[in-house]
Amino acid sequence: MQRGAAILLLIAGLAHASQQAQGAGKSAASSALSGCPPGASQRPAGQFSHHIQQAIRKAGPGGMVRLSGEYTIDQTLELLDGSTLCSDEGATLTWADKDRPGLMINATRAQATRIRSLVLDGRGIAIKGDGHAIEGNLIRNVQADSPANNRWGERHGVFIVDRGDHLTIRNNIFTQIVDTGIIGHNVHRSLIEANGFVDMHEGIHLFSVANTQIRDNTGSRLRAMCIEIQGDNLPGLVVERNRFSKWHPAHSSKAYVMSVVAGLGAVIKDNVIEGSPDMSAGLEVGGDGPQVLDNTLWDANLVIADAPDALIKGNKLVRASMIKDVNRVTRGRLLIEGNTIEDAPRVGLFADEWGGYEQVTIRGNLIRKKLTESTIDFAAIVASPFRKQPVLIADNVIRFELAGRKRPVRAVCFANAGYQGNLQGMQVNGNTCDGAGVALFGDSNSLGGHIGVRYQRNKLMNLQNTITGHTDGLQAIGNELSGVAADHAKLKSP
């Protein structure tokens, strides 16, 4: 088998494996690579960049250039409107000198170009404008040491300059890249799908994104974030079915796996994140009205940043917590519903305060915790202060399990973090708390923390005590106690 054909098969196999990790048949780009599209084409007269450029000019706007074999590139290839640069046999384009300025391919002065089934070694692609498609390529070994602003674009696999509309970037493999696989500004009506990112700084980093789908991408051995979305709160962003795991040894402990902190009604769903215990977070969400649905996180927290009208529903966290961070919200609601949190390290769901939300509802979540020899203390839900409407904590199920625990542990279902009545009016209704014979239903850390707080129709089972600390001022209606050793808070109704 020729070397070029072997490389093409390698790319196809990597792309196929990337899609299989997401589930076969879910991606619109599930077919294997097929080389150049049908049609008339030009072939370069030699194996250097000027030969390819001559073929591009000869093909003209809308023309196709077929490549084969290995090419040495010492100047940026400039595409024309509608140019297709592709290979049926797995052509490799190698940048001649990493200290030489330039990109492998430039499509910032053209529209609707297509780059397909190529191996680009040493430099990446710059695009701008409408209708570009980058499909089935292997982009590797982009190690340009050029931090200056005028050469910053040389550090990435695909650089979307200023604005990109109706872009298609799919089935590519990005590997050994000093900075970012795909980076860009003002990306609208585009598809970034079924790409694989291996051994680089960041996978996808976009600013100001609208009506764009980022789906079925995979990543491993990254040093920072896999997907990062910043900028304006624009509509139509969907981030779904991406999967990231197996981090680079130099991964920053302060970095997040995915950060989507911009968008209007952004949908972030069915993503799978396998983190590590030293990560700051697996998924950070913000923007206006994000819907965070059915994601799975291992060893990496879910962090809610500035996110008015956020819906956090159906997510599964294993050895990870859900945390509210950055309290600059001044409006909107927050609903945290139907999530499962298993074996979080110190706290299941926590906020230092709920900021300026009009209403916070924590409803129908399942929190489970095994108490082991390494457990120091644990709080399933921390009832934190609020500024506007009282928080509602309803219909949650919290279960503790003893797993070889011999020494005492401070474990509570609800930790009351209020003081001087600043949780007044909060309702804790219809929750189930099973303390495995060692936990508390709740505690209070300050005088006046329970003033006006209502505990109603909760089921308390196998507890050492109901609530410890200062409990004056609470209201208790219709709670059921079973196997509770002490009822300091007098939660049992007469």
Side-chain angles (χ1 to χ4, degrees), residues 338-350:
N339 304 282
T340 299
I341 301 174
E342 296 183 357
D343 291 321
R346 298 288 297 276
V347 63
L349 199 157
F350 170 78

Side-chain angles (χ1 to χ4, degrees), residues 33-160:
L33 302 179
S34 56
C36 294
S41 62
Q42 296 291 326
R43 292 185 180 272
Q47 302 304 118
F48 291 91
S49 50
H50 66 275
H51 295 119
I52 299 175
Q53 193 66 60
Q54 288 170 357
I56 293 170
R57 295 193 189 104
K58 188 173 181 180
M64 177 164 51
V65 174
R66 294 177 185 266
L67 305 179
S68 61
E70 299 185 12
Y71 297 84
T72 299
I73 308 300
D74 58 6
Q75 62 183 17
T76 301
L77 300 173
E78 301 282 348
L79 300 187
L80 307 176
D81 286 347
S83 289
T84 295
L85 196 63
C86 61
S87 174
D88 292 318
E89 303 172 4
T92 299
L93 283 65
T94 302
W95 191 252
D97 180 358
K98 74 172 188 175
D99 295 324
R100 188 183 186 92
L103 291 159
M104 193 76 74
I105 301 171
N106 181 30
T108 62
R109 302 182 184 91
Q111 305 294 319
T113 66
R114 193 169 191 180
I115 302 166
R116 185 168 183 174
S117 304
L118 302 175
V119 177
L120 307 182
D121 191 310
R123 290 291 162 85
I125 303 165
I127 57 177
K128 177 182 176 180
D130 190 83
H132 300 288
I134 301 171
E135 301 175 288
N137 303 283
L138 171 60
I139 303 175
R140 68 186 184 192
N141 196 31
V142 179
Q143 302 295 324
D145 187 15
S146 49
N149 288 337
N150 63 337
R151 294 187 60 188
W152 177 74
E154 298 174 3
R155 299 170 58 85
H156 316 295
V158 173
F159 180 25
I160 304 165

Side-chain angles (χ1 to χ4, degrees), residues 408-409 435 437-441 461-466 468 483-487:
V409 59
V438 298
L440 308 172
F441 178 64
M461 300 181 292
N462 307 314
L463 299 167
Q464 285 191 350
N465 205 334
T466 51
T468 60
V484 177
D487 186 13

Side-chain angles (χ1 to χ4, degrees), residues 133-207:
I134 301 171
E135 301 175 288
N137 303 283
L138 171 60
I139 303 175
R140 68 186 184 192
N141 196 31
V142 179
Q143 302 295 324
D145 187 15
S146 49
N149 288 337
N150 63 337
R151 294 187 60 188
W152 177 74
E154 298 174 3
R155 299 170 58 85
H156 316 295
V158 173
F159 180 25
I160 304 165
V161 181
D162 187 32
R163 186 180 178 100
D165 286 275
H166 300 101
L167 307 177
T168 300
I169 306 174
R170 63 182 174 187
N171 271 348
N172 302 284
I173 302 296
F174 299 83
T175 185
Q176 297 181 333
I177 294 177
V178 67
D179 209 307
T180 305
I182 302 170
I183 193 165
H185 302 77
N186 300 313
V187 179
H188 294 187
R189 294 173 289 274
S190 295
L191 174 65
I192 300 175
E193 179 182 49
N195 300 284
F197 303 90
V198 182
D199 196 3
M200 64 188 65
H201 184 67
E202 283 192 310
I204 301 169
H205 193 162
L206 303 177
F207 300 83

Side-chain angles (χ1 to χ4, degrees), residues 208-229:
S208 300
V209 184
N211 300 310
T212 290
Q213 298 179 60
I214 303 172
R215 66 191 188 197
D216 297 314
N217 301 285
T218 61
S220 63
R221 289 185 57 80
L222 274 72
R223 294 183 289 277
M225 298 187 198
C226 294
I227 296 177
E228 185 172 7
I229 310 294

